[in-house]
Amino acid sequence: MTTLRQRKGSKGKEPSPAAELQSQQHNCCSEHHPEKILHGDWSWGAIIWTSVGWSVSVGLGLLCCIYVATLHENDLWFSNIKEVEREISFRTECGLYYSYYKQMLHAPSIQEGLKEMIHDNLTESKRTINLLQRMNIYQEVFLSVLYRLLPIQSYLEPVYFYIYTVFSLQAVYVIALYLTAWLLSGSWLAGALTGVWYILNRVDTTRVEFTISLRENWSLPFLALQVAAITCYLRPQLTTLQQKVMVWLMYVTTFCFCLTWQFNQFILLVQALVIYTLDCGDFLTTTQVTTLYLVQVSSLLSVWFLQFCNSMILGSLVLSFIVAALFIRHCQPGVKTGSLVVRLGKVLLHSALVLLLTVTINYLAKKALQLQSDEHIFKFIKSKFALGSTRDFDASLYLCEEAFGLLPLDTLERLAGTLLLYPYVLTLLLLCGMLVAAALQNLSRPNRGSTEEKKGAREGQVAAFRPDVAYNLLHTLFYGLLAFSTMRMKYIWTGHMCAVAAYGVCGTELWTVLLSALRFNTKLLLRLVRYVVPVVMIGFLYYKFWPKLMEELSELREFYDPDTVELMTWISTKTPKQAVFAGSMQLLAGIKLCTGRVLTNHPHYEDKDLRERTRQVYQVYARRSPEEVHDILKAIGADYVVLENSICYERRHRRGCRLRDLLDLANGHIMDGPGEDDPDLVPATHPRFCDAIKTDAAAYNALFTRTFQNKTFHVYRLKKKRKKNTKGSSEPSVTQ
């Protein structure tokens, strides 16, 4: 860390008390940083202390990995169930992603497997799509190739190689958060506290043990590594070589993050806003800002290239924003000149221009690329904040899911129960006050002419508020707001929240303010509380939660879903291999994984044509005539349709959010059950298809044949449509 230094020409000037305080804080912070050895300190004390810190980080990472792996095993008895049951345990879209790993392993060769990925005609009937372009499944391809090449087939099953890789990434995640806290605070005890908090708050920091294949479980560890690399890059006194290494690390981690998650552009957009805010507050140099932007751009373009020129990336908001920010910055070099009021006015004007240019570039890019793949996300955002129609089927599918609602307050209660929330809030309040004061000081500073004066100003700024701390503060603030607005995004926030809270406990800022208020601010006491308090907290957390963890790990359950197992077994043994199945997105993903049959639709929703096809397939749960449903299913090539009682008679959601309600609203029909309806809705002229078909009425039996049923599922085979009688016959009514 850089301490305050006297500027040239002021050699005899005494430092102010505030400068002494800043010097004390930075000296304390620089005692045990992980990169201290890189700066030439090869003393035995530094080597041993740093080695202990690294060992603890690896130990906590392995502990987290073993913990979630054990929970997964205990919850499903994964090692003892049949292969079809293991595959069914990959629920919803997890099953779809894992099916491509399985498909690559079953291919005659790696080359044949890649060819099948690029020219796939099993995922969407009557269509040939490039899976590597459409989906983020390079991780499945890489793992399948690695499993083929490594000599492990004789003692490690493919499914275990897959799940152990994902669980190992949790170890990487914990180590990355550990390093971030260590870099910020100067003490590896902060990293240890971070790892402990992450594990104890597992319910809110990860869901990997039951959603193994979700893209976020692959990508978030790389995002955490990227944040650690950015934190190190923004630290002062790095050599030119170290800066270059950090830039490459940022690029590699950002690239891996983008390659493994389709929502990368929206996460990077928030990060770009963080960088832009730091730039406006004059916390970063021009080189740092440009470098961080270019790392994002180069990573996205690399993924664009690997995904066969995926237009969704070129039309992303984050690319439009970065281009706009860099262009306006180049055209307005004098933004950071003048008095405070003038600068604030220039920053506001600058921001307005960036926003306007971003919208313009993005609009033109989407028009040129004819891009509509991500429009459902913007519909969801509009509907969520009451900016658009709430009847849109795609937007309503998201709005009605709890994961896309506001963050529940019981989340904060759980975080407070592990002592995480209190130091986090205190640290946040203190650092926000310091950040605002430092920003105003930066903007009030008169424009300096010479290079030496600018260098001196930069050193003063670093002493006032470190740029690495400023980045992590805004990072947790921005992603915290995202988490509060959409619960599913809390997993991006809560992990980093552990690192920020640990920095507050083990850093100097919070304790300096508290000890100064109590008039006990001495260097010895500051060092004492920074080491004693985290040790006491870890001891308390161990005493309180270790028995609960052991009890949780002792709970043994077993996978039990006989109806789905029966369905998958019947499909595998009683239907042609090229048979096409229609049904809900979630179930069809499992059908593809367990049986390899062709699908009409699936859960990867980032395609406009697929979204429209899914809405059409779901008409089996709407009030439509058998002829209409038969025509829809035949048009997309379906041979069988699977109806689920859990959807047809759904009670999990409130009225207006059940799937059948969403379809009724989209079709302009009055919903089931008591309650108010919009005045423009009309009664449907037909009964609900999924219910009426079970009555075996002639109109339905003429077009569909029941081939399988149990307590949960009903499977119907589509017949060829006969020519209508010239006399015509009235369709029999079916009582609901």
Side-chain angles (χ1 to χ4, degrees), residues 173 176 218-230 253-254 256-257 261 267-268 271 471 475 479 492:
Y173 197 176
W218 288 93
S219 62
L220 291 186
F222 293 111
L223 180 64
L225 285 172
Q226 183 228 39
V227 172
I230 290 175
T253 52
T254 308
C256 292
F257 165 72
W261 198 11
I267 308 305
L268 289 187
Q271 190 176 68
Y471 171 81
H475 182 99
Y479 286 105
I492 305 174

Side-chain angles (χ1 to χ4, degrees), residues 68-101:
V68 294
T70 305
L71 287 176
H72 176 261
E73 168 64 25
N74 290 355
D75 193 48
L76 300 172
W77 203 5
F78 199 75
S79 59
N80 197 58
I81 58 179
K82 295 183 292 185
E83 185 66 21
V84 65
E85 293 175 314
R86 289 179 178 178
E87 292 178 346
I88 292 171
S89 71
F90 288 87
R91 301 286 185 180
T92 65
E93 60 188 291
C94 297
L96 182 69
Y97 297 133
Y98 182 76
S99 73
Y100 299 123
Y101 170 72

Side-chain angles (χ1 to χ4, degrees), residues 364-542:
L364 294 175
K366 288 187 174 180
K367 281 293 183 183
L369 297 169
Q370 297 182 339
L371 179 63
Q372 296 176 315
S373 299
D374 57 355
E375 66 176 8
H376 64 298
I377 298 174
F378 295 102
K379 286 181 181 178
F380 160 71
I381 294 172
K382 289 179 182 178
S383 299
K384 187 176 182 66
F385 297 103
L387 300 175
S389 172
T390 55
R391 280 197 196 174
D392 182 80
F393 179 75
D394 297 324
S396 298
L397 273 180
Y398 286 101
L399 287 171
C400 287
E401 287 299 324
E402 185 183 3
F404 292 93
L406 299 177
L407 187 72
L409 293 180
D410 62 352
T411 304
L412 301 181
E413 294 176 6
R414 289 193 297 270
L415 297 175
T418 58
L419 305 183
L420 171 60
L421 187 64
Y422 305 116
Y424 176 77
V425 172
L426 287 174
T427 304
L428 215 58
L429 292 174
L430 174 65
L431 291 180
C432 283
M434 294 174 63
L435 182 77
V436 172
L440 292 175
Q441 180 184 359
N442 292 343
L443 294 175
S444 300
R445 189 172 56 243
N447 187 38
R448 300 176 183 269
S450 69
T451 304
E452 287 298 322
E453 286 177 332
K454 289 181 179 178
K455 184 179 178 182
R458 174 62 56 193
E459 289 170 0
Q461 173 193 326
V462 171
F465 205 95
R466 292 158 44 196
D468 56 336
V469 175
Y471 171 81
N472 280 275
L473 173 61
L474 290 184
H475 182 99
T476 193
L477 276 175
F478 281 42
Y479 286 105
L481 292 174
L482 183 63
F484 272 93
S485 68
T486 307
M487 187 184 75
R488 184 176 178 179
M489 296 300 168
K490 73 176 180 179
Y491 301 103
I492 305 174
W493 172 58
T494 46
H496 189 258
M497 179 186 185
C498 298
V500 172
Y503 162 61
V505 173
C506 302
T508 60
E509 283 81 356
L510 187 60
W511 293 118
T512 300
V513 172
L514 292 177
L515 293 177
S516 297
L518 297 173
R519 300 180 183 274
F520 288 117
N521 189 22
T522 64
K523 188 174 182 179
L524 179 62
L525 186 59
L526 178 63
R527 180 178 296 183
L528 184 65
V529 295
R530 287 180 60 229
Y531 294 131
V532 171
V533 172
V535 171
V536 171
M537 291 183 71
I538 292 174
F540 171 78
L541 293 172
Y542 174 84

